[in-house]
């Protein structure tokens, strides 16, 4: 089975722009979660999508949004980019999104640099 | 709210020596605990997880961790370090539903000295 894939792997944007990141989960997985990883804050949960619906959300401003398509692929959008949005964005997939009992499989991440 | 504390942002051990990475958690509900490893420029890989079965959990690559409720700890150990173990290690906690996703510690960078 192919693993979780994320595109693009690297991205450079300027302040004020918007960006869309893509995540393709493992085949058969219906849950996709997104995390932001920065040196200062570490790994933080952004949101989780399950069957095209946002089911859970972390403590991030509304500039961060996402969606999930019928094939379970997910996109994450950040509008009005700020320097502090520079981070590695990781997505993880699992069958049902039960983070406690299921294994979350992580993609390699998209590294976003905001100038 | 759940939280995870990893003691020591950097741990250095000699090749062949015992690896001990510390993790303490706080959780208002019975927790599910995880250790993940991250190699440079890669995503996270699950090493092992505790889901209220056996308190001693064996994982991949010779790692194991012991859940100690009285100490609210879930330390990661490996009897003999290899150079290939050099990486960033993250402890994480979740409730069964994962409504807040996985809550991660700040990570411990493991350095292996030859």
């Amino acid at each position: 089975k192919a693993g979780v894939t994320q595109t693009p792997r690297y991205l450079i944007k300027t302040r004020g722009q918007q960006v869309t990141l893509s995540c393709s989960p493992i085949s058969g997985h219906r849950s996709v979660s997104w995390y932001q990883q920065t040196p200062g804050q570490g790994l933080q949960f952004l949101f989780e999508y399950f069957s095209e619906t946002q089911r859970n959300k972390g403590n991030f401003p509304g500039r961060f949004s996402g969606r999930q398509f019928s094939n379970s692929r997910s996109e994450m959008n950040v509008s009005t980019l700020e320097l502090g949005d520079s981070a590695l964005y990781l997505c993880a997939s699992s069958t049902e999104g039960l983070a406690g009992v299921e294994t979350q499989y992580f993609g390699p991440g998209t590294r976003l640099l905001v100038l | 709210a759940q939280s995870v504390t990893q003691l020591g942002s950097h741990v250095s051990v000699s090749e062949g020596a015992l690896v001990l990475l510390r993790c303490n958690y706080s959780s208002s509900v019975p927790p599910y605990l995880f250790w993940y490893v991250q190699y440079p420029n890669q995503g996270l890989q699950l090493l092992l997880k505790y889901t209220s079965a056996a308190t001693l959990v064996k994982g991949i690559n010779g790692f194991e961790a012991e859940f100690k409720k009285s100490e609210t700890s879930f330390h990661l150990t490996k009897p003999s370090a290899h150079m290939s173990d050099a990486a960033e290690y993250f402890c994480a906690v979740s409730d069964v539903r994962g409504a807040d996703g996985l809550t991660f510690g700040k990570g411990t960078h493991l350095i292996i000295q030859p």
Side-chain angles (χ1 to χ4, degrees):
Chain A
K1 256 187 188 179
V4 178
T5 58
Q6 293 186 245
T7 57
R9 291 293 310 278
Y10 303 92
L11 208 47
I12 300 175
K13 292 286 187 178
T14 56
R15 278 181 301 174
Q17 287 187 312
Q18 74 164 15
V19 67
T20 299
L21 312 181
S22 180
C23 172
S24 293
I26 291 172
S27 177
H29 286 190
R30 296 190 294 167
S31 168
V32 174
S33 297
W34 289 88
Y35 292 83
Q36 182 196 63
Q37 185 178 20
T38 60
Q41 299 299 316
L43 279 151
Q44 294 182 284
F45 172 69
L46 280 156
F47 32 63
E48 184 230 354
Y49 283 86
F50 180 81
S51 292
E52 302 180 63
T53 301
Q54 186 182 88
R55 192 162 62 173
N56 298 301
K57 190 176 190 304
N59 189 26
F60 277 82
R63 299 185 297 107
F64 292 82
S65 63
R67 59 179 176 168
Q68 187 179 35
F69 302 94
S70 58
N71 62 356
S72 293
R73 188 177 70 86
S74 176
E75 288 182 347
M76 190 194 111
N77 185 76
V78 188
S79 62
T80 319
L81 284 166
E82 300 176 0
L83 295 179
D85 297 333
S86 295
L88 180 67
Y89 290 89
L90 295 164
C91 82
S93 76
S94 65
T95 308
E96 300 291 332
L98 298 174
V101 295
E102 292 187 318
T103 295
Q104 302 265 307
Y105 293 89
F106 283 80
T110 293
R111 188 165 294 281
L112 172 65
L113 176 62
V114 182
L115 301 176
Chain B
Q2 300 164 324
S3 67
V4 175
T5 302
Q6 291 184 240
L7 295 176
S9 59
H10 291 77
V11 169
S12 181
V13 302
S14 298
E15 191 174 17
L18 171 72
V19 175
L20 171 61
L21 304 182
R22 300 177 187 275
C23 171
N24 288 88
Y25 70 91
S26 68
S27 175
S28 56
V29 297
Y32 293 84
L33 294 157
F34 309 81
W35 276 99
Y36 281 87
V37 61
Q38 186 178 34
Y39 297 100
N41 299 315
Q42 293 187 27
L44 301 174
Q45 181 183 13
L46 181 68
L47 280 175
L48 49 81
K49 64 181 180 182
Y50 167 76
T51 57
S52 76
T55 56
L56 182 63
V57 182
K58 294 188 184 298
I60 62 171
N61 301 339
F63 285 95
E64 64 181 36
E66 186 172 10
F67 173 69
K68 292 187 176 180
K69 185 177 180 181
S70 60
E71 299 177 9
T72 62
S73 69
F74 190 57
H75 301 332
L76 182 71
T77 61
K78 182 174 180 177
S80 176
H82 292 185
M83 295 299 291
S84 60
D85 294 328
E88 192 84 14
Y89 291 80
F90 294 93
C91 181
V93 65
S94 172
D95 60 27
V96 64
R97 278 193 56 248
D100 297 321
L102 293 170
T103 300
F104 286 90
K106 294 290 190 184
T108 297
H109 186 63
L110 178 63
I111 301 162
I112 310 296
Q113 305 278 9

